[in-house]
Structures are given as structure tokens and as C-alpha cells.
Amino acid sequence: MQIVLATHSLASFGGSESYLLTVAEHLERLGHSVAIAAAAQGEAAERARDRGLSVPERPERLPEGPDAVIAQDHPSALAMAERYPAAPRLFVCHSALLDVGQPPAIGGVIGAAVAMSERVATRIRALAGAPAEIHRLRQPIDLDRFAPRGEIAARPRRALLLGNYLRGARREAVMGTLAEAGIEVDQAGRHGTATHEPEVAIAAADMVIGYGRSVLEGMACGRAAYVLDYNGGDGWVTPETWAAHEARAFAGRATDDVVDARRLRTDLDRYDPAMGTANRDLAVLHHDARDHARALVEIGRGLGAANPPPAPLAELARLVRIAWRAEGRAADLARQLDEARLAQDAQIAERWTRIHGAEAQTAASAAAAADAREETADLRGQRRVRLANRLAAPFDRRRARRD
């Protein structure tokens, strides 16, 4: 089969970008020809090319008549329906939060949807114009790339915060709690050290803290995995909790629990090195990218050509891309404002500390000056007494002789 994988952006790395590259590689390992269509390109596109994947820089270099198209965001789905009206088209949905990540509510744009969690499937079913076919697949992990490298310690010595979103007060609380437990902490991602090889950072840790694909990558590497990120957490992944975590996309929504510093300290005491082996087994059983690629091929072969309506799909795709960029800029500005506020609060706190220190120092200096004055007065008094005694001594001797 000739397959086109479509996404709006391969500018930087995140969960959906990692998914796309993983699927592309495993579809090619099955013998299929794959081309990746990306409107915005950057380091992730270059990384894909380094892996030998086809990522044309211009749309006109895409295949003329693919056997199937797989899109993973709203603008890409619209653009592919415009470009390939006769091709079977599939939509992969990763998130229940982002509107731009939902399938278009226009009949005929896609033939079926793939939901990457039960939470996502529930959202798709509730959409107006929901696709008739909704297939439920699990997140795929490259088990050859993400594999155990050495054993983890009996007690956690090093933790890795893996992901692009953990920051601010929650990050500081997590870092502080781990430090109190004597655990070294590294962070990989947007707010830590950027890396194209998270498997290397994972190998240096005993436990991985994150959400979504980052948790699964830690599991596949045979590490203890803890679900916690900017939107909350659910704690350790174990054979008993895996199903609930997976259904909710490892996004901290599997339970009603609140993971605060006290809960994290308690959970750290429950760490067990056997978690690493169990997590690897779970990843092999349920998240093998080879199985996911085969499932996509079967779904694609079963799809007939969708019939998009006579609508300006390319223009709609352009408008959605503009709205997406505007929302992204607004989110960046909100994040910058939040970071600026936190920095300002820290500066104010530091200045108040300096003021209180200066006041305390001034009070101490004043007290020392008062003590010095009192001591000086005492000394002066003692000198006057000694001087008076010396002056009076001859008179005292004469008086004594007369007596």
C-alpha cells in the first residue's frame, strides 16, 4: 500500500509527533510505502528524514494517488480530503481536550476514526457528525528502541521528569518532595533538557514521572512509572492499575485521587524494583508498535473511498490552521505571563527578605550601640572613682596620722 500520514506540524517533538514517526517506521517494516505530509516542518521533520522517512518539503512532491490517508488533526484531515477525494481516509485522535485534534464534523471528510483511549472514544461518540466507524487502539511503543538497559535500584536513587508540560508550583513541589526523599531528579522536555533520545535519559533513572506516551516509554524501558503532570496524577502504574490508566490515556484522570506532596511521599515508600519488570511485560503485551501498525493496515484496507462534500475544504483547513496558531500564541503568552509573575513574586520575596534582614541588622546594631554606650558609661564611672581615690589618698593619710 501507498500510505500518506498527515499532520499539521513536525516542527518540534511531542506525543503526537513521536506517535507519527513510530507508526511510519513500523508501516515501512511491513513493506508499505509511507510519505509524511506536514504543513509546518522543523527539527522533528529533520529527525524523521535522519531515520530514512520520506517527508517532502513541498505538497506537490507527495504521492499522486495513495491507497490510504491517515490524518491526526483537523486541518490535515480537511487538506487531505481536498487533495485526495477518492482515497480511503482515516483519522487518528489522540486527545479529548484539543478541539483541533478532533475529527471534522463534515460528512465524507473521513471514513473512520481511531481513538487512542476510551476517554477519547467517548468524546468522539458525542461529537455532532461523529464518524460511523470508531476503532479503539492503544498507544504504540517501539519496543526495540525503548528497551531495558540494566536493572533499577532496590530504592529509587534517580527520578526522571519526562514531558513538555510540568512546570511552576507543581514542578517545584515534586522536585522538593523527591529531594527530601534523597532522590536525584532530572527533567527532560520543554522545561528541562531537550533530547531526541529520551530512551537514554530513561536508562539513567529508576523511575519515570510523566503522563501519556512518556509513561509508556518509561514502562517499556523497564522503569517504575508514576502518572503525574500539570493536570494532576494517579500514582504508580501496576498490573492492577494499568487498565484504568490506559483507558484514561495515562493522563491523571483514572481516579478521583489528588496527588499532593504528602501523597507522593507515601507513594515513594511503595516503590518496588519489581515494578520495572512488570511494566516491561505490560508494554510488550499491550503496546507493541508492530501490532498497532498491522491494525491500521487492516482498518485502511476495509475502508471504502469517502465522498467529501462540495465545500472549500482547503480554505477551511487554512482557517483552522490560523485559529490553531492564534491559540498557540495565546497559550505561549499566557505561559510567559505566568512565568513573569512567578519571577516577579520571587524577586519581591527576595527583596522583602533583604529588607527584613536589613531591619534586623539595624536593630542589632542599635542594640550593640546601646550596649557600647552603657559600657562606656560604666568605664567612665570606674575611671572617675579611681581618680577620686588617688586624689583623696594624701588627705586620707593625714587624717589617719592625726587620728
Side-chain angles (χ1 to χ4, degrees):
M1 292 177 68
Q2 172 70 67
I3 302 172
V4 172
L5 300 180
T7 187
H8 169 64
S9 176
L10 276 182
S12 59
F13 270 99
S16 63
E17 291 84 0
S18 296
Y19 167 86
L20 196 75
L21 269 58
T22 299
V23 166
E25 289 177 328
H26 281 78
L27 287 172
E28 288 197 339
R29 290 174 67 174
L30 290 174
H32 301 287
S33 177
V34 178
I36 299 176
Q41 299 187 16
E43 59 177 345
E46 290 303 317
R47 186 67 172 176
R49 295 186 184 103
D50 290 343
R51 295 186 190 179
L53 297 172
S54 173
V55 188
E57 294 183 1
R58 295 195 297 274
E60 56 268 25
R61 294 187 176 180
L62 289 168
E64 288 298 326
D67 300 302
V69 174
I70 302 174
Q72 64 173 8
D73 55 63
H74 198 115
S76 295
L78 292 170
M80 292 298 102
E82 173 86 4
R83 183 178 178 86
Y84 302 117
R89 293 183 297 280
L90 182 64
F91 188 96
V92 176
C93 188
H94 296 276
S95 173
L97 296 176
L98 298 175
D99 290 337
V100 75
Q102 307 305 307
I106 302 175
V109 170
I110 62 170
V114 168
M116 299 304 295
S117 70
E118 193 56 39
R119 180 183 175 209
V120 168
T122 301
R123 170 69 186 272
I124 296 176
R125 295 187 194 106
L127 292 173
E133 290 186 38
I134 300 174
H135 301 268
R136 171 73 164 86
L137 299 182
R138 300 187 181 112
Q139 279 287 348
I141 300 296
D142 186 335
L143 297 176
D144 297 324
R145 178 185 175 194
F146 293 94
R149 302 184 186 183
E151 302 294 328
I152 61 176
R155 295 294 301 168
R157 297 168 301 185
R158 185 184 295 274
L160 176 67
L161 308 183
L162 183 58
N164 290 327
Y165 302 104
L166 185 60
R167 61 187 180 89
R170 191 184 295 274
R171 175 186 179 275
E172 297 308 313
V174 171
M175 299 279 279
T177 301
L178 292 170
E180 290 173 3
I183 301 173
E184 296 183 27
V185 188
D186 291 324
Q187 186 171 17
R190 183 176 300 161
H191 302 288
T193 301
T195 177
H196 299 309
E197 297 180 328
E199 65 273 23
V200 176
I202 293 171
D206 298 305
M207 56 181 288
V208 171
I209 298 175
Y211 92 120
R213 286 183 62 85
S214 63
V215 172
L216 287 167
E217 290 169 354
M219 291 171 61
C221 289
R223 268 48 195 165
Y226 196 92
V227 178
L228 176 64
D229 206 78
Y230 71 108
N231 264 340
D234 287 320
W236 295 115
V237 179
T238 67
E240 294 74 26
T241 65
W242 167 83
H245 286 302
E246 193 279 331
R248 306 298 286 177
F250 297 90
R253 304 291 183 87
T255 69
D256 294 330
D257 295 343
V258 174
V259 177
D260 55 11
R262 180 181 299 178
R263 163 72 184 276
L264 179 56
R265 283 193 296 268
T266 301
D267 284 347
L268 290 174
D269 292 334
R270 296 176 51 232
Y271 167 94
D272 187 333
M275 289 176 172
T277 302
N279 284 341
R280 173 66 182 183
D281 291 345
L282 289 168
V284 171
L285 283 171
H286 303 295
H287 298 281
D288 192 334
R290 289 177 282 255
D291 297 335
H292 188 90
R294 286 195 294 269
L296 288 177
V297 170
E298 291 176 5
I299 295 170
R301 283 175 173 165
L303 284 178
N307 297 308
L313 299 180
E315 175 64 10
L316 290 175
R318 186 185 72 85
L319 294 175
V320 173
R321 287 195 297 270
I322 291 172
W324 193 354
R325 285 195 295 269
E327 289 181 5
R329 283 195 291 268
D332 286 340
L333 288 172
R335 183 169 54 251
Q336 292 173 21
L337 286 172
D338 189 36
E339 291 173 353
R341 180 185 60 78
L342 291 174
Q344 185 182 48
D345 290 346
Q347 291 177 354
I348 291 173
E350 181 182 1
R351 289 175 181 174
W352 274 114
T353 299
R354 290 180 180 178
I355 290 171
H356 292 320
E359 290 176 346
Q361 186 175 3
T362 300
S365 299
D371 291 342
R373 286 193 296 270
E374 183 177 350
E375 184 178 354
T376 300
D378 290 342
L379 288 173
R380 286 176 177 173
Q382 293 173 12
R383 288 175 183 173
R384 288 170 179 168
V385 170
R386 288 195 297 270
L387 179 59
N389 288 337
R390 285 198 297 271
L391 292 174
F395 298 101
D396 292 337
R397 287 194 293 272
R398 292 176 185 173
R399 187 179 301 109
R401 284 198 296 268
R402 284 199 302 268
D403 294 340

